Amino acid sequence: MKTYTIFSLLLFFCLSSCTESIQNASQINSLPNIYPDYAGVTIPVNIAPLNFSVVDSGVSRIDVRISNSSNSQIHSQGSQYSNINISDWQNILSQSVGDSLRVEVSTKRNSEWESYLPFYIYVSPDSIDYGIVYRLIEPGYSAYSKMGIYESCLSNGQQSALIENTQFQGCVNCHSFNQGNPSSMSLHVRGPQGATLLQLNGKIEAYNTTTSQTLGSCVYPYWHPSGRYIAYSTNNTQQVFHVQNPKRIEVYDQASDLQVYDTKTNQLLITPILMRKDALETFPAFSADGRTLYFCSADSKAVDANDFENIRYNLCSISFNPESGTFGDHIDTLVNAAAEGKSISFPRPSYDGRFLVYTMSNYGQFSIWHPEADLYIMDLLSGSSLPMSTINSNNTESYHSWSSNSKWLVFSSRRDDGLFTRPYFTHINQNGTQSKPFLLPQQNPRDFYRDLFFSYNVPEFITSPTNFNTPQAIKALNTPTRNSMPPTYK
């Protein structure tokens, strides 16, 4: 008992010496200049600690006190960032559902402490999914080095690799899940050991999706809510570089079609109406009830490598019968973006059937290279669309996906520096209103993102750990044989 008391006293004095008093701090009549900007954001109750740094020059120490309306408080002090204890953070979040956290920040500069005006963080009753899966890729243009598919747990920030191209010869891309369910996964691999990897019921198999009746391999997957079907596009893609243009590169399709894979019958369902020579069809997505297939379509006659601004995609749809695996006999144009001098990519309907979010840019469909690209939200009840002004920035907003409860949206943005895409999150309420977005939390976010020379590509929610069997996937890729997807007209 005596030994425990002495140890406790030593620990107390150690902690006391590491924490400085801010009692006599002078008051600054402004909010602190922090990175990431978390002031006024809405967060889920199960998110990792929102650590941040004060980015003003000369700051040698930061003191952060977070409290709620029940007078619970957590306190952290560090030299570079807030360094919030994860257990304390989880406790105060659980006590503050539907309420706001008050965040008080003080900084030490030139041996003097200064305190800023407090800011607030709202804790939503709507939880977020377990994590996200994404590709990390260097911002190269004509070649790639190391890349991989990774998952990150949103409650603690831990990242793990599913598969990396150091384990085989090729490029990994186009990963997709059925409404966040990791047991149903499609992953495309390009290169010498290329294949489409399908994970169904815990088993991973490699497929050759190129057929004599389609343009090439199946990409841009989207799962039917039943889990039986996967919509794909096939694209004859070209890449060119600008000589005198603020944009560095353009990627465009010379041809593209749509098809649907039936996992039950092992057939690739194709139809002439989605394989027209006069149209480019791409980015398919099933509706929440599985009876509509949304996609983007452009006039193929506009394709000209010397004049990209003529290539513009509209938001279209066609009916789909999941019982028979058949398509409708006509295509509806939902948003005629080309008539407005704009182009649409990445339609993503919410899983509750209420909204659809898409990317709008000036032309083309590879919006990641377009600084003007913004996100729009369509009310599927009224058919009206509005820009998502709360979350759009002065730089690229591009790929996005919904959480399984249709309350959160993750989207890729280049707002930080115009070069690297980072994942941001926003809450969507029942009226389609968006909250101020927040950046994916990290332990020391300023140093982490400054030193990370990789872009987050295609962020997708997952409802639980993927438990991806990497050895099984590598074995499937290293095996020369591939399953086929025989096409059949519907």
Side-chain angles (χ1 to χ4, degrees):
M1 184 68 179
K2 185 177 180 180
T3 304
Y4 178 79
T5 303
I6 294 173
F7 175 78
S8 298
L9 288 173
L10 289 173
L11 179 62
F12 171 78
F13 285 120
C14 179
L15 291 175
S16 299
S17 65
C18 294
T19 302
E20 300 181 19
S21 172
I22 63 167
Q23 189 172 6
N24 298 319
S26 60
Q27 184 64 48
I28 304 297
N29 194 31
S30 64
L31 294 175
N33 183 19
I34 63 174
Y35 178 85
D37 179 9
Y38 289 139
V41 299
T42 295
I43 62 172
V45 69
N46 53 333
I47 197 69
L50 299 190
N51 286 315
F52 57 85
S53 297
V54 175
V55 297
D56 295 336
S57 61
V59 172
S60 61
R61 199 159 183 82
I62 177 174
D63 182 280
V64 177
R65 298 170 190 269
I66 303 174
S67 58
N68 61 14
S69 59
S70 301
N71 295 319
S72 294
Q73 185 180 96
I74 58 178
H75 175 224
S76 70
Q77 194 176 106
S79 60
Q80 294 185 340
Y81 58 97
S82 53
N83 198 18
I84 301 167
N85 179 274
I86 189 169
S87 296
D88 293 342
W89 173 258
Q90 291 170 343
N91 287 337
I92 201 169
L93 285 189
S94 65
Q95 300 169 18
S96 309
V97 177
D99 201 355
S100 292
L101 301 174
R102 176 186 171 98
V103 185
E104 299 171 273
V105 178
S106 301
T107 59
K108 186 178 183 181
R109 193 197 323 258
N110 300 323
S111 301
E112 300 292 333
W113 282 96
E114 300 172 330
S115 293
Y116 296 84
L117 295 176
F119 63 86
Y120 296 85
I121 295 173
Y122 179 70
V123 183
S124 172
D126 299 318
S127 61
I128 204 165
D129 288 334
Y130 163 82
I132 56 172
V133 171
Y134 43 86
R135 178 172 68 163
L136 288 178
I137 183 172
E138 293 176 329
Y141 307 125
S142 59
Y144 59 84
S145 56
K146 181 181 178 181
M147 67 169 68
I149 305 296
Y150 303 84
E151 71 176 65
S152 180
C153 175
L154 294 178
S155 63
N156 60 27
Q158 292 183 358
Q159 176 179 282
S160 57
L162 276 63
I163 189 170
E164 296 175 314
N165 70 336
T166 54
Q167 300 165 304
F168 64 95
Q169 297 183 56
C171 161
V172 287
N173 65 342
C174 296
H175 52 278
S176 178
F177 306 90
N178 182 15
Q179 299 188 8
N181 181 358
S183 65
S184 300
M185 179 182 182
S186 176
L187 172 64
H188 185 61
V189 178
R190 293 180 297 184
Q193 295 174 282
T196 294
L197 293 178
L198 287 185
Q199 177 171 281
L200 295 169
N201 301 317
K203 185 179 180 181
I204 298 176
E205 293 187 300
Y207 287 78
N208 177 9
T209 58
T210 301
T211 76
S212 60
Q213 295 172 267
T214 55
L215 293 172
S217 298
C218 291
V219 294
Y220 304 142
Y222 195 95
W223 289 78
H224 191 271
S226 68
R228 175 175 174 176
Y229 303 100
I230 313 171
Y232 290 101
S233 69
T234 50
N235 305 69
N236 183 355
T237 303
Q238 299 296 316
Q239 175 179 275
V240 295
F241 295 89
H242 294 290
V243 177
Q244 293 179 329
N245 195 302
K247 302 181 180 71
R248 296 172 175 81
I249 191 174
E250 192 63 39
V251 178
Y252 68 98
D253 287 334
Q254 291 186 319
S256 57
D257 294 324
L258 299 182
Q259 47 271 309
V260 171
Y261 175 61
D262 187 340
T263 64
K264 185 177 180 179
T265 64
N266 189 39
Q267 291 181 318
L268 196 62
L269 312 180
I270 59 178
T271 178
I273 198 171
L274 296 176
M275 303 176 70
R276 295 160 46 200
K277 298 294 185 181
D278 61 344
L280 305 171
E281 304 95 350
T282 192
F283 299 137
F286 283 111
S287 61
D289 64 4
R291 295 191 172 276
T292 300
L293 184 65
Y294 301 107
F295 61 97
C296 300
S297 180
D299 184 352
S300 64
K301 292 180 290 185
V303 174
D304 185 348
N306 298 312
D307 190 6
F308 300 115
E309 296 184 5
N310 286 331
I311 308 174
R312 294 190 172 93
Y313 288 77
N314 296 324
L315 176 61
C316 299
S317 69
I318 189 172
S319 62
F320 180 77
N321 186 330
E323 287 78 29
S324 61
T326 54
F327 303 88
D329 59 4
H330 69 280
I331 292 172
D332 293 314
T333 299
L334 305 181
V335 179
N336 191 339
E340 302 173 11
K342 297 291 184 179
S343 187
I344 291 176
S345 56
F346 304 128
R348 288 293 182 268
S350 59
Y351 301 128
D352 61 3
R354 185 69 176 83
F355 300 106
L356 183 147
V357 172
Y358 57 87
T359 304
M360 181 93 84
S361 57
N362 287 344
Y363 59 88
Q365 50 86 24
F366 210 71
S367 53
I368 194 63
W369 296 109
H370 288 235
E372 81 283 356
D374 281 334
L375 297 181
Y376 281 67
I377 187 167
M378 170 183 278
D379 186 329
L380 291 174
L381 297 180
S382 67
S384 62
S385 292
L386 291 172
M388 302 179 78
S389 55
T390 302
I391 67 174
N392 288 327
S393 70
N394 293 328
N395 219 304
T396 307
E397 271 71 53
S398 187
Y399 193 88
H400 47 275
S401 67
W402 291 88
S403 63
S404 61
N405 62 4
S406 299
K407 300 298 184 182
W408 299 92
L409 192 79
V410 58
F411 63 96
S412 59
S413 176
R414 287 189 171 171
R415 66 187 62 204
D416 282 10
D417 54 22
L419 294 175
F420 296 95
T421 55
R422 306 296 188 217
Y424 280 79
F425 301 83
T426 182
H427 181 266
I428 312 288
N429 70 10
Q430 65 274 14
N431 299 317
T433 303
Q434 315 98 49
S435 65
K436 178 180 175 178
F438 65 91
L439 179 63
L440 176 68
Q442 303 291 346
Q443 177 68 24
N444 182 352
R446 189 183 185 192
D447 285 359
F448 178 88
Y449 287 112
R450 181 188 60 194
D451 298 339
L452 181 68
F453 289 93
F454 287 82
S455 283
Y456 286 78
N457 185 239
V458 191
E460 290 277 351
F461 280 106
I462 48 173
T463 56
S464 62
T466 59
N467 295 318
F468 187 77
N469 192 328
T470 304
Q472 188 180 104
I474 299 302
K475 181 179 179 181
L477 291 174
N478 287 328
T479 302
T481 58
R482 297 285 186 266
N483 296 325
S484 62
M485 290 184 179
T488 181
Y489 280 95
K490 286 287 186 176

